[in-house]
Amino acid sequence: MTTTTHHAFDTDTAATAVGDHEYALDLSDRWITGAGTANGGYLLAACLRTLKNEIPHPDLLSASAHYLRPGLAGPAVVRTETARIGRRTATGAATLLREDREILRVLATFTDLSAARGATIERGAAPVLPPPRDCVNPLAERGVDGSAIARRVEFRMAEVPGFFRGEPGGTNVAEFWLRFTDGREPDPIALALLVDAAPPAVFDLGMSASSTIELTVHIRRRPAPGWLACRVRTNHLVDGFHEEDFDVWDSTGALVAQSRQLAIIP
């Protein structure tokens, strides 16, 4: 059944069952990037939310998505498959189609994060940032609206990076606060969108566009409400292909998500 709320994420990832393991949805133009195509994290989240209808475990644990074609706004279909339902984890697959052409293939595992127990060693740390109220919104500083997705998510930085001023600074790491602009709190599937919602780190290396080929997301904990502290970095740009690593901590300082994607500079 399609569910609508006042939050764009929930409305725009809702799907309706139209057959066995087949769901219909409308891909929204509210998540279009500067390249004119749907954001990859949005497409992934739509598939994951649909697949979750057939999985008894409540939380996303990991997902890997391969992007076959650019996604455009309009009617689409998600076909799902359950691979295994286990006591601690369950795994399934989803394929997103637009006009009978495959856009995205996803393999995902779900669990109950509230029941997770075991050894814990953490050596990474959240970025040290001023409070969000003391940070700047780079788009607002430039006085522009940006792409459609830039109006769905808000990020705050300690200072405006060079590429926003048309002067790439040559840095390969960015740190910032991130949240949905409409007040929607994060959850594991929303995190799968948010790890792909910020400008790529390669923009400050002088690149003007980047297209995702593969995106893998790991969810470590259910996030607490509030702003998310993020760090994105790229260490290797080789023959037009680059990785992007994205780490997310919630408002309590707990690590909640990590992702890596392989992308290409058009």
Side-chain angles (χ1 to χ4, degrees):
M1 178 180 295
T2 300
T3 300
T4 58
T5 73
H6 66 287
H7 295 305
F9 175 82
D10 299 296
T11 300
D12 297 343
T13 58
T16 301
V18 293
D20 291 340
H21 311 293
E22 185 165 306
Y23 299 79
L25 74 159
D26 287 314
L27 297 177
S28 172
D29 62 3
R30 293 195 287 188
W31 306 90
I32 297 298
T33 69
T37 56
N39 170 261
Y42 164 59
L43 299 177
L44 173 56
C47 287
L48 292 171
R49 189 173 174 205
T50 303
L51 180 59
K52 190 174 181 293
N53 290 324
E54 303 189 358
I55 300 290
H57 299 61
D59 301 308
L60 176 66
L61 178 64
S62 70
S64 181
H66 288 262
Y67 295 83
L68 309 180
R69 295 178 178 85
L72 301 175
V77 171
V78 176
R79 293 175 182 159
T80 62
E81 176 187 355
T82 300
R84 179 181 182 273
I85 305 295
R87 183 177 61 85
R88 293 191 63 181
T89 63
T91 299
T95 302
L96 175 67
L97 300 98
R98 178 89 165 80
E99 297 180 340
D100 295 322
R101 304 181 74 197
E102 289 189 36
I103 303 300
L104 178 65
R105 289 192 182 188
V106 178
L107 186 67
T109 296
F110 293 76
T111 191
D112 184 350
L113 291 171
S114 69
R117 300 289 185 274
T120 300
I121 300 172
E122 296 190 76
R123 295 183 176 175
V128 179
L129 294 164
R133 64 179 179 275
D134 297 329
C135 290
V136 295
N137 181 331
L139 288 177
E141 290 292 310
R142 291 177 62 204
V144 298
D145 290 335
S147 61
I149 189 173
R151 295 189 288 275
R152 305 277 76 80
V153 295
E154 177 184 4
F155 61 102
R156 301 280 183 91
M157 311 182 83
E159 58 183 24
V160 179
F163 76 86
F164 270 103
R165 303 189 301 270
E167 302 172 351
T171 62
N172 67 319
V173 179
E175 298 178 341
F176 46 87
W177 297 104
L178 184 68
R179 68 177 179 181
F180 287 113
T181 55
D182 63 9
R184 207 273 190 188
E185 296 293 355
D187 61 28
I189 290 180
L191 289 172
L193 183 158
L194 291 170
V195 297
D196 193 44
V202 292
F203 281 9
D204 210 43
L205 296 175
M207 306 300 116
S208 59
S210 174
S211 298
T212 304
I213 296 172
E214 186 271 342
L215 171 61
T216 295
V217 182
H218 295 160
I219 306 301
R220 312 310 299 266
R221 298 177 176 93
R222 293 177 182 172
W227 285 92
L228 300 165
C230 306
R231 179 181 294 120
V232 58
R233 62 194 178 279
T234 290
N235 289 323
H236 306 282
L237 172 58
V238 179
D239 296 331
F241 295 94
H242 70 93
E243 93 289 350
E244 179 172 282
D245 293 315
F246 203 112
D247 298 328
V248 184
W249 290 262
D250 69 9
S251 58
T252 72
L255 179 74
V256 293
Q258 298 169 286
S259 75
R260 167 168 280 198
Q261 66 174 273
L262 178 67
I264 186 171
I265 303 300

